[in-house]
Amino acid sequence: MKKSILTGAGLLLILTGCTNITTEQQSVEQTMESGEMQHEENMDMNHGDMEGMEEHMDHDNIPPLQASKGTQELVIPPLLEKQKESDFDYEVVAQEGTTQFFDGSPTNTYGYNGNLLGPTLQLKEGETVKVKVRNELNEPTTFHWHGLEVPGTEDGGPNDVIQPGESKIVTLKADQPAATLWYHPHPHKSTAEQVFKGLAGMLYVEETDEEAPALPHTYGVDDIPLIFQDRLFDENKQLDYKNLMNSDGTIGDVSLVNGTINPKLTVTKPLMRFRILNGANARNYTFRLSNGATFTQIASDGGLLHEPVEMDEITLSPSERAEILIDFSAMESDEPIAITDEEGNALLPFDLDIDGGTEEMESISWTDDTTFLKEEEKSLPVSKEIELFGMMDKVTINGKKFDPERIDLRQKKGVSEVWEVYNKPDEMGGMIHPFHIHGTQFKIISRDGREPAPNEQGLKDSVLIEPGERVRLLVTFPEEGIYMYHCHILEHEDNGMMGQVEVY
Ligand code: C2O
Ligand code: CU
Ligand code: CU
């Protein structure tokens, strides 16, 4: 991507300008509210039927998150170190462990190369690495590289199971723009449980172009990964998935950031880059700053946006990412500042301890000198229709549940097609489904015929779809193989809200 770079003054305008860009989020919220009201009535009528059953996750029964007490410094996942003198470059091991979330009894957890979550794997743009993946769990798993455009054989979907005690070497080529991606398990019917217990890690494709905008990039200092997850613990402080799970998406009241409970982050640089991942099984997050300040979104799932966008809140559905810049230089160190959710609960309070150095405040603006979508791309006919429907264990895509033996769609490598994804409402109104496709970074052409918001004008691999909404995507697969597409509410995925596309 060619970017023209502005300096100094341009940045200040972007970071300190007071005009709020009105995004589509406001209207989305309004629609959600009116949807909710209808919902409630229906719920009352149906309540008798629901008794004794786990509840459908509508907007009304989502447990609020507990605010962070700010008692623990945020854990930064270590960078995965390159192996010396072996026939692979990196090793990723899925294993069991324990984590001390609460005083007293430790919680049994899963992690990669550790007790919880996993190290950050950094690949350079264009680089090819060999990764040895090893399963030390007592159950089958897979290693999926979410957002990486690798051939189907390396993608680690449900058809690529590694049995307990086994390993294999995969070849990952980062042949795509710099981006914040992630990795997680994908075994059919147990993805939700394995992620819930702690398996997930960050996967970065790093910029190599010296002409690129000079973004903060010191890992753990001014370039911080933030994995937001919610969890439900039982009375023994265990992540007892089988008893806690909800087949419509398991949602908890405990907020974890990078696996840290009650986190805070000490900010030492005036300009900070945060790479946010919604790593929850099912919860949608809307993030804001507690002091009402704006921030600048610079990247979506698949890399830099067409241009930076000033925002006062951002909504991410499960598996979506956003990179944002926060300018702390104008903020007082005695005012409490935190990243909050939509209810105003502080999920990540900041402690300001800025050691000067405003001189880095330059060159963070760009506009892409190509158009985001060409006219010919926008006017391509729809060639793949996807209908998402249902709730709980009755979820389907185009009326069907996942069948590993069935290829649902075929698409030619390198040829762009328009997928129209429709979230069909039901009598209860329906719910948001985050739709994800493996092996591709797509572009959103339209939402119900309207141009996507500026912060969605970038590469994406997952997209939030409201009930009743039709979203058109421009999808191109650069490699061959069999890829999954599915709802990224992990329980819906496990319940079969998934299909397979063969790229040939
Ligand atoms: Cu995050 Cu099918 O994947
Ligand atoms: Cu994926
Ligand atoms: Cu879903």
Side-chain angles (χ1 to χ4, degrees), residues 248 388 390 395 431-434 487-489 492-493 497:
D248 228 3
L388 309 173
V395 284
M431 61 190 290
I432 287 172
H433 297 288
C487 174
H488 220 291
I489 291 177
H492 285 181
E493 174 193 323
M497 202 174 205

Side-chain angles (χ1 to χ4, degrees), residues 34-54:
S34 48
E36 259 167 49
M37 274 150 38
Q38 283 182 354
H39 230 122
E40 229 165 281
E41 290 160 20
N42 290 334
M43 281 297 286
D44 285 346
M45 285 185 342
N46 292 336
H47 208 258
D49 311 340
M50 302 286 289
E51 239 156 71
M53 288 167 58
E54 19 159 357

Side-chain angles (χ1 to χ4, degrees), residues 262-321:
N262 290 314
K264 67 152 195 261
L265 177 70
T266 305
V267 168
T268 58
K269 299 288 171 201
L271 186 63
M272 299 285 290
R273 175 190 198 173
F274 295 100
R275 303 179 186 234
I276 302 176
L277 161 66
N278 179 343
N281 280 37
R283 179 185 285 272
N284 300 305
Y285 286 90
T286 296
F287 300 106
R288 297 188 184 128
L289 289 174
S290 57
N291 61 356
T294 57
F295 52 86
T296 305
Q297 187 178 348
I298 54 170
S300 53
D301 303 332
L304 291 184
L305 291 172
H306 198 59
E307 57 192 10
V309 182
E310 189 193 4
M311 319 262 291
D312 52 15
E313 63 174 35
I314 181 166
T315 299
L316 296 178
S317 61
S319 85
E320 286 187 292
R321 285 89 63 208

Side-chain angles (χ1 to χ4, degrees), residues 3 32 54 118 129 184 238 242 263 283 285 295 317 319 323 327 398 404-405 446 471:
K3 308 283 179 193
M32 272 172 56
E54 19 159 357
V129 299
H184 64 77
Q238 295 304 314
K242 297 216 160 54
R283 179 185 285 272
Y285 286 90
F295 52 86
S317 61
S319 85
E323 292 185 30
D327 179 10
N398 293 345
E405 306 300 327
S446 62
V471 178

